[in-house]
């Protein structure tokens, strides 16, 4: 039962990223409110208000029909224009920045709520218009409902003005990178805070039983709580083999475990099915689930900015600033992650991207496409200088990893610059980096 509860919660979290989620929910509320007002009109709410508060009721039938017809046409126009702006935003972001940023833009909750507000007001106006009686008798006409439609239309116009402001901000590359940075930083801080700073002593898993993937897709998330419950109830030890965010092919190992089903009502096959159900596969990736995706997205934005078609080194420099802070935060996290029970016993080993692999992948792309620009190269040396000066590095091996990338950057930079002044600048940064490092590290 717990397995299904975890799956439901995980599915709801993923559903929020769908562009139609909040608009559908808000539209449903608008539809239900329209039916509620039809019911209240049938029991005489407008008749009561005409007697006591006539200012709250629209009595003229033609005026009501004209208002509602105009509102419906106006709301449809606003919705078409707003959706067009969203499509333009997604197309520009994909062309100029990176296709990977699209899921984050689509899941923008504010835009979803605004689009849902339009649709809810539209549905309310349509059903209110239909509820007007052919005779237009003032006591049977939904006068109060018509007044509320004016209120909803005013709110929709305000939402439209805010939407124009918001969309003009969202389309800027600095805003996109800032949102990516904030999401990944929160995710990293959460992982660092939850990490147990003790040696788990996890045993070798080479001879453990394997569970193969039964479908293909990105390994978007793992329900560690569900896995931990199974591990404790069956006295298991578990290893999650793939790295979160990796593309999984059907038939490759995704889980290794040691132990067997302790419940006589089920066999190992049933147990393996439950273990496999704890992994969520998807065709999309979200930074909220995988901070490594933020490094990929910001790197791709930087590389795209250095392409001849865009030629925007300023954006690349800004991207390196964000990467610098993210790398500094990543250096406070271990390369290996474990899930502990209440007795601080490691039940689950989760494979993660190592700091060395992460830094190499980022620098390999930046060195390839930015090594010809001495200003960007200079910024990369500044990044390494900042990382080497960090005092809260969790693993001293991280410094050796940084030194390797400095050597690689030095070689590429010197090989691609012939100007004496540029070479002198590069060597000056190498000297600075050498002075802040132990003598055993030579560049």
């Amino acid at each position: 039962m717990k397995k299904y509860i975890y799956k439901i919660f995980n599915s709801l979290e993923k559903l929020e990223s769908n562009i139609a989620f909040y608009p559908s929910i808000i539209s449903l509320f608008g539809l239900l409110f329209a039916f509620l007002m039809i019911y209240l009109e049938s029991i005489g709410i407008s008749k009561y208000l005409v007697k006591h508060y006539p200012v709250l009721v629209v009595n003229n039938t033609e005026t009501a029909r004209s208002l509602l017809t105009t509102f419906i046409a106006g709301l449809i126009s606003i919705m078409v224009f707003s959706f067009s702006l969203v499509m333009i935003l997604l197309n520009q972001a994909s062309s100029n920045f990176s296709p990977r940023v699209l899921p984050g833009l689509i899941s923008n909750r504010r835009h979803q709520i605004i689009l849902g507000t339009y649709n809810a007001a539209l549905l309310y106006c349509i059903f209110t218009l239909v509820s007007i009686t052919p005779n237009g008798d003032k006591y049977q006409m939904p006068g109060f409902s018509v007044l509320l439609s004016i209120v909803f239309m005013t709110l929709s116009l305000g939402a439209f003005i805010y939407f124009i402001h918001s969309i003009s901000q969202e389309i800027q590359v600095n805003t996109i990178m800032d949102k990516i940075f904030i999401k990944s930083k929160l995710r990293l801080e959460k992982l660092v805070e939850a990490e147990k700073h003790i040696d788990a002593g996890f045993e070798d898993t080479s001879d453990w039983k394997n569970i193969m993937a039964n479908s293909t897709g990105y390994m978007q998330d793992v329900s560690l709580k569900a896995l931990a419950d199974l591990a404790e109830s069956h006295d298991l030890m578990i290893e999650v083999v793939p790295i979160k965010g990796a593309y999984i092919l059907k038939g490759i190992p995704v889980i290794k475990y040691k132990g067997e089903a302790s419940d006589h009502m089920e066999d190992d096959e049933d147990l393996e099915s439950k273990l496999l159900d704890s992994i969520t596969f998807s065709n999309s990736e979200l930074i909220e689930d995988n901070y490594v995706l933020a490094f990929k997205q910001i790197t791709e934005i930087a590389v795209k900015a250095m392409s001849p078609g865009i030629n925007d080194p300023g954006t690349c420099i800004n991207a390196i600033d964000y990467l610098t802070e993210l790398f500094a935060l990543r250096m406070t996290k271990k390369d290996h992650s474990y899930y502990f029970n209440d007795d601080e016993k490691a039940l689950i080993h989760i494979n993660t991207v190592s700091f060395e692999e992460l830094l190499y992948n980022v620098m390999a792309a930046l060195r390839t496409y930015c090594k010809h620009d001495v200003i960007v190269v200079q910024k990369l040396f500044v990044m390494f200088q900042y990382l080497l000066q960090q005092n809260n590095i969790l693993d001293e091996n991280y410094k050796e990893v940084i030194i390797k990338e400095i050597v690689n950057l030095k070689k590429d930079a010197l090989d691609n610059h012939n100007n004496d002044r540029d070479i002198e600048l590069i060597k000056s940064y190498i000297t600075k980096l050498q002075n802040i490092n132990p003598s055993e590290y030579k560049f």
Side-chain angles (χ1 to χ4, degrees):
M1 184 62 183
K2 289 182 179 180
K3 175 190 71 175
Y4 295 107
I5 294 175
Y6 296 139
K7 295 286 283 186
I8 290 172
F9 277 110
N10 287 335
S11 299
L12 289 176
E13 289 178 0
K14 305 301 177 292
L15 192 61
E16 281 189 276
S17 63
N18 193 311
I19 193 172
F21 178 73
Y22 283 104
S24 300
I25 298 297
I26 298 173
S27 299
L28 179 61
F29 278 110
L31 185 62
L32 294 176
F33 187 73
F35 286 128
L36 174 62
M37 290 307 301
I38 291 173
Y39 169 74
L40 293 177
E41 294 291 352
S42 69
I43 62 176
I45 184 173
S46 289
K47 183 177 180 180
Y48 173 81
L49 292 174
V50 164
K51 291 181 179 180
H52 297 86
Y53 307 100
V55 71
L56 298 178
V57 179
V58 178
N59 279 323
N60 189 280
T61 306
E62 292 304 318
T63 300
R65 288 181 180 276
S66 298
L67 282 173
L68 292 171
T69 303
T70 303
F71 290 167
I72 291 171
L75 284 168
I76 291 175
S77 300
I78 288 175
M79 288 182 64
V80 171
F81 184 71
S82 299
F83 275 107
S84 299
L85 281 178
V86 171
M87 293 302 106
I88 292 172
L89 168 67
L90 298 179
N91 182 62
Q92 181 170 338
S94 177
S95 301
N96 294 347
F97 311 134
S98 169
R100 291 181 184 271
V101 305
L102 296 186
L105 295 176
I106 290 174
S107 61
N108 189 306
R109 186 175 301 178
R110 291 174 299 173
H111 294 169
Q112 293 184 33
I113 292 174
I114 290 171
L115 296 177
T117 302
Y118 296 159
N119 208 33
L122 176 62
L123 291 173
Y124 177 81
C125 291
I126 290 174
F127 281 91
T128 302
L129 178 62
V130 171
S131 68
I132 296 179
T133 57
N135 296 329
D137 186 270
K138 65 179 181 180
Y139 298 113
Q140 296 177 358
M141 191 186 75
F144 183 59
S145 298
V146 174
L147 181 70
L148 288 180
S149 70
I150 298 175
V151 175
F152 292 150
M153 186 63 188
T154 304
L155 291 175
S156 297
L157 289 175
F160 179 68
I161 295 172
Y162 176 76
F163 181 81
I164 296 297
H165 165 75
S166 178
I167 207 77
S168 64
Q169 299 294 320
E170 293 290 334
I171 209 167
Q172 298 179 18
V173 64
N174 286 337
T175 303
I176 293 175
M177 285 197 297
D178 193 56
K179 288 182 177 295
I180 295 172
F181 168 75
I182 291 173
K183 289 180 182 179
S184 58
K185 182 180 179 182
L186 291 175
R187 177 63 177 169
L188 262 173
E189 288 176 342
K190 182 179 179 181
L191 292 174
V192 171
E193 184 179 353
E195 194 172 57
K196 300 282 186 178
H197 295 284
I198 57 176
D199 291 329
F202 216 76
E203 59 184 272
D204 180 51
T205 64
S206 57
D207 59 344
W208 287 11
K209 300 176 183 177
N210 292 319
I211 302 178
M212 307 302 179
N214 57 8
S215 61
T216 60
Y218 291 100
M219 194 180 82
Q220 190 176 60
D221 200 10
V222 180
S223 179
L224 295 177
K225 182 62 177 174
L227 278 180
D229 288 342
L230 288 170
E232 290 192 312
S233 60
H234 295 278
D235 194 22
L236 305 175
M237 294 187 71
I238 300 172
E239 179 187 19
V240 180
V241 179
I243 296 170
K244 185 184 289 187
Y247 191 78
I248 307 302
L249 297 173
K250 185 177 180 180
I252 69 171
V254 289
I255 290 179
K256 288 184 176 182
Y257 73 98
K258 178 183 179 182
E260 57 186 17
S262 59
D263 190 344
H264 67 279
M265 299 297 293
E266 62 180 5
D267 54 18
D268 286 349
E269 186 175 343
D270 295 329
L271 175 61
E272 291 181 0
S273 177
K274 291 181 179 180
L275 291 171
L276 191 59
D277 285 340
S278 64
I279 296 181
T280 303
F281 295 95
S282 174
N283 290 325
S284 61
E285 301 173 280
L286 294 176
I287 297 175
E288 291 86 344
D289 299 321
N290 183 16
Y291 71 88
V292 176
L293 184 60
F295 288 90
K296 294 180 181 179
Q297 290 183 0
I298 296 177
T299 302
E300 288 177 359
I301 291 174
V303 169
K304 199 72 172 284
M306 294 302 295
S307 65
I310 298 177
N311 193 24
D312 182 14
T315 295
C316 182
I317 290 173
N318 291 340
I320 294 173
D321 288 332
Y322 286 116
L323 289 172
T324 301
E325 189 165 351
L326 287 177
F327 275 124
L329 184 57
R330 175 58 180 82
M331 292 169 71
T332 64
K333 182 185 180 304
K334 287 185 176 181
D335 277 342
H336 299 282
S337 296
Y338 302 93
Y339 187 91
F340 296 82
N341 61 8
D342 295 335
D343 298 329
E344 293 197 347
K345 176 186 177 183
L347 298 176
I348 306 170
H349 175 216
I350 307 105
N351 284 307
T352 59
V353 177
S354 66
F355 178 75
E356 181 176 8
E357 182 181 357
L358 184 62
L359 183 60
Y360 175 79
N361 289 337
V362 170
M363 287 303 302
L366 292 177
R367 282 189 288 105
T368 301
Y369 296 98
C370 306
K371 58 190 176 184
H372 61 279
D373 193 312
V374 69
I375 303 301
V376 177
V377 170
Q378 177 184 359
K379 191 66 178 179
L380 290 172
F381 280 126
V382 171
M383 179 183 76
F384 286 132
Q385 180 179 350
Y386 177 79
L387 295 179
L388 289 174
Q389 290 175 332
Q390 296 300 300
N391 296 321
N392 56 347
I393 298 177
L394 194 62
D395 190 338
E396 285 299 320
N397 290 329
Y398 291 168
K399 284 191 175 182
E400 297 183 21
V401 171
I402 295 172
I403 299 301
K404 291 179 182 179
E405 292 307 321
I406 293 175
V407 173
N408 294 335
L409 179 60
K410 172 190 173 183
K411 183 179 185 304
D412 284 352
L414 293 176
D415 288 345
N416 286 271
H417 289 88
N418 299 318
N419 186 283
D420 292 339
R421 181 67 184 90
D422 293 344
I423 295 175
E424 180 183 347
L425 178 65
I426 294 170
K427 290 183 176 180
S428 68
Y429 273 96
I430 295 295
T431 303
K432 290 180 184 178
L433 291 170
Q434 184 66 68
N435 291 336
I436 63 173
N437 277 279
S439 58
E440 63 264 23
Y441 296 126
K442 298 296 182 183
F443 304 145

